[in-house]
Amino acid sequence: MDEEVTAGYTEPCAQCSAVDWGVSDEGRFYCRSCHNVIERTREVVDPTFTPGSSRISTIGRGSRTKRSERGRLWMICEGFQFILKNQADALLRLGVQTQFKDQVLCELWRLYLQKSQQAFTHTPVRSSQFKLKRPGSDSESGAESFIISASETDGEMNLPSTAGSNAESHSDWSVCSGSVDAASYLSTQLRRSHGLMSMKKTLALIHIALTWSREPLTLSDLLRLVNEGHVPYVNAYEELPEEMKLEGKDSLIFRVESVPSHRAVHQEALALILFLKLPAFPPISRQSLLHPALLSLRYLTDANLPDELHPWLCRLMERADMADQTLHTLDPSSRPALPRYDVQTAALLIVTMKLVFGLDDHTEWDLSNDAGDQDDPGSVFSLRRWFRLLQAALIRAQDRRDRDLARKQWRSKKPLYMNKKERYVMTKKRRIAEQLQLCFEKLSSRRAAAEPVSPSSFRFYWGDENGADGPSMHHMKLGGAVTLKNDVLTPSNPTYWHPALKPCISKNCRSHYSEVEPTLPRTFVWLLQLFSFLLDVKPGYLYEEVLSVERRVFSDKSPRRRKTGTRAETRTRARPGTPQRARETR
């Protein structure tokens, strides 16, 4: 047998030069004389092989290792559920009560899934339809179709075994997308009719849950935590599980490049409340930290204003009928407007300062001169000294914010791409940017990225300690700004000016601040800018709320004369127990 296999091999052995070859059990040639084993092996011929008789029955799309990178089938609402969970966990780490997540946010999320017909319903929305072909099928006649609805997102999707195996080999369950139903979320008609979730709506839902829980966290606080990176938003998709692969059209849903404004999130929250048809919210009483009576104390502290302004603010609330808890509690049946607690409180504080100090570019400086003539000027509040102190601190804080914003790393560690071409281009740009960043770090001997900021409810820090923005003025007296008349404290300022208070009839009209800003007193404009910085809103947005408060203060309580052209002043007699005032109209 060995002679038949080795007959064609006549090379002599390299050890003993003999030509006597045999075949071992492993199929290797060896010399029978010296038992030297060489590399030559026996050729095995398959007698059953017939040329041209075999064909490829199935075509795989890669190796098994690459096939597992596709992940599992998942829905878009699952991704938003993970993001909401991470956002809630971040707030819990910052001190929010646990019932906010377990008893409020989870219930709101279940209600949303039911109202949007994605889960907890007998008629789920058909958000995606995809086909799985059997291996070897040449037409769609032999294909099996499966429809996956979002009602299966609460547990594991129990597809048949054949569907599960075919899904791994056939990775076309969603065209150019890692998820199943990305196309439906990009459909304008489906997004509007079913109220499908978006990244902005996650913040709106968090804000609704915080308001329902009566947590002392306003919308401006939430957006500041998001901007500082304490609550995930911009790159929140990075924390999704590894098996949920994001690619293609998913980037249009989960990729955001900026934090939405206060107005945008507030409007989104109001639309979401109407969509969910929520009942009346828990009442916001004067003991709640969201009520302006207590929230104003925080803003007085942050703005370094004297504590004696707080009783005047409370009296102003009483006069404007804004102290009642029904005004600050959302009730879709009777009061369907979601209160803007932070903006409303700041507007009340601005109106109070106008009432006490005038803020007409003349009265406040005269009162400051009178405060300097007091026997103990160090204990009397001077608006001029306060303005200089706050102006310097405001400039430093704005520069620090702009510098941190310029150094902030907006690029994601796991960027999303629409296609391979975009991946190639963006990867190349990213490498160049990283190289330039390293060069600038070496030249400047400091890190390019902004250092993380510890979360705080205050923008400024006042006191005598190191690192403070300036000395505290909370303990100071109003002094000559108020006088005692008929055993009633009354502002020394006899007039009160305000712009035209008649609201616009057009629903599309928002703000005329840019038009009237050049005609407004500079002190008032600066005060708007200060509180706009504290709340991170636009000055025009706060200006409209100031007008709203003034309408409530002067609604049907004082005679108004319609004036055109220059200013005209109208004086009215004060009622007993209320500050005397006079109004100027334009």
Side-chain angles (χ1 to χ4, degrees), residues 18-311:
V19 184
D20 188 8
W21 299 104
V23 180
S24 65
D25 296 337
E26 293 82 7
R28 303 175 65 88
F29 282 28
Y30 71 96
C31 178
R32 294 178 177 176
S33 177
C34 64
H35 300 284
N36 178 32
V37 181
I38 62 176
E39 296 295 331
R40 186 177 179 84
T41 58
R42 179 179 57 180
E43 296 181 1
V44 179
V45 180
D46 186 5
T48 63
F49 174 74
T50 303
S53 63
S54 64
R55 64 183 180 88
I56 300 175
S57 58
T58 58
I59 299 178
R61 286 182 174 254
S63 64
R64 293 181 180 271
T65 57
K66 291 184 179 181
R67 196 177 301 158
S68 61
E69 294 179 358
R70 187 67 181 185
R72 65 173 178 86
L73 303 183
W74 61 281
M75 314 293 290
I76 292 294
C77 64
E78 288 184 272
F80 283 118
Q81 182 168 304
F82 275 106
I83 291 175
L84 280 170
K85 177 181 177 299
N86 293 333
Q87 291 174 342
D89 291 339
L91 290 175
L92 292 182
R93 290 192 295 269
L94 293 174
V96 176
Q97 300 295 324
T98 55
Q99 57 264 25
F100 153 76
K101 175 185 175 183
D102 301 331
Q103 301 178 13
V104 181
L105 184 60
C106 289
E107 295 299 327
L108 287 175
W109 177 245
R110 293 190 184 100
L111 180 62
Y112 166 77
L113 291 178
Q114 183 181 19
K115 291 291 184 179
S116 60
Q117 296 183 356
Q118 297 184 73
F120 306 104
T121 178
H122 296 291
T123 57
V125 58
R126 301 303 182 183
S127 57
S128 178
Q129 180 176 359
F130 62 99
K131 298 179 179 181
L132 303 177
K133 296 182 179 181
R134 291 185 181 276
S137 61
D138 297 330
S139 64
E140 295 184 358
S141 59
E144 293 182 354
S145 300
F146 297 95
I147 300 177
I148 305 297
S149 67
S151 60
E152 301 171 88
T153 58
D154 300 301
E156 294 294 328
M157 283 183 272
N158 297 321
L159 291 176
S161 58
T162 55
S165 60
N166 292 340
E168 294 182 358
S169 61
H170 189 83
S171 58
D172 287 344
W173 61 67
S174 185
V175 180
C176 297
S177 174
S179 62
V180 173
D181 55 343
S184 63
Y185 271 75
L186 298 177
S187 172
T188 305
Q189 181 179 1
L190 285 176
R191 190 168 61 249
R192 290 179 179 177
S193 59
H194 295 283
L196 298 181
M197 184 57 62
S198 63
M199 288 299 298
K200 191 195 309 182
K201 280 187 179 180
T202 60
L203 295 181
L205 196 64
I206 291 288
H207 175 52
I208 294 173
L210 288 171
T211 305
W212 188 286
S213 306
R214 291 179 286 191
E215 288 289 337
L217 200 67
T218 62
L219 180 55
S220 59
D221 296 329
L222 176 63
L223 294 179
R224 186 168 69 221
L225 292 174
V226 170
N227 273 304
E228 293 176 355
H230 303 295
V231 176
Y233 179 75
V234 175
N235 297 323
Y237 64 86
E238 293 182 350
E239 301 180 12
L240 294 179
E242 290 295 332
E243 63 269 15
M244 298 175 66
K245 302 297 180 179
L246 275 73
E247 55 187 56
K249 293 182 178 179
D250 298 331
S251 61
L252 301 177
I253 301 173
F254 293 99
R255 184 173 60 185
V256 290
E257 298 180 352
S258 62
V259 179
S261 64
H262 190 289
R263 182 193 297 270
V265 178
H266 181 268
Q267 291 178 348
E268 196 73 51
L270 182 58
L272 197 56
I273 289 173
L274 298 178
F275 174 75
L276 298 177
K277 298 180 180 179
L278 296 177
F281 279 47
I284 304 297
S285 62
R286 292 182 71 107
Q287 289 72 33
S288 175
L289 294 177
L290 288 177
H291 194 278
L294 293 182
L295 188 59
S296 58
L297 291 173
R298 181 178 133 194
Y299 294 154
L300 284 171
T301 303
D302 206 6
N304 201 19
L305 289 168
D307 297 333
E308 287 191 357
L309 279 175
H310 186 255

Side-chain angles (χ1 to χ4, degrees), residues 363-400:
T363 306
E364 62 270 20
W365 308 128
D366 294 338
L367 292 175
S368 298
N369 294 333
D370 294 341
D373 297 335
Q374 299 289 332
D375 297 335
D376 187 10
S379 62
V380 179
F381 178 78
S382 172
L383 193 136
R384 177 182 285 109
R385 186 164 63 246
W386 174 79
F387 168 77
R388 292 173 178 173
L389 182 64
L390 263 293
Q391 176 68 1
L394 181 61
I395 292 176
R396 291 194 301 268
Q398 288 176 338
D399 293 341
R400 184 169 56 250

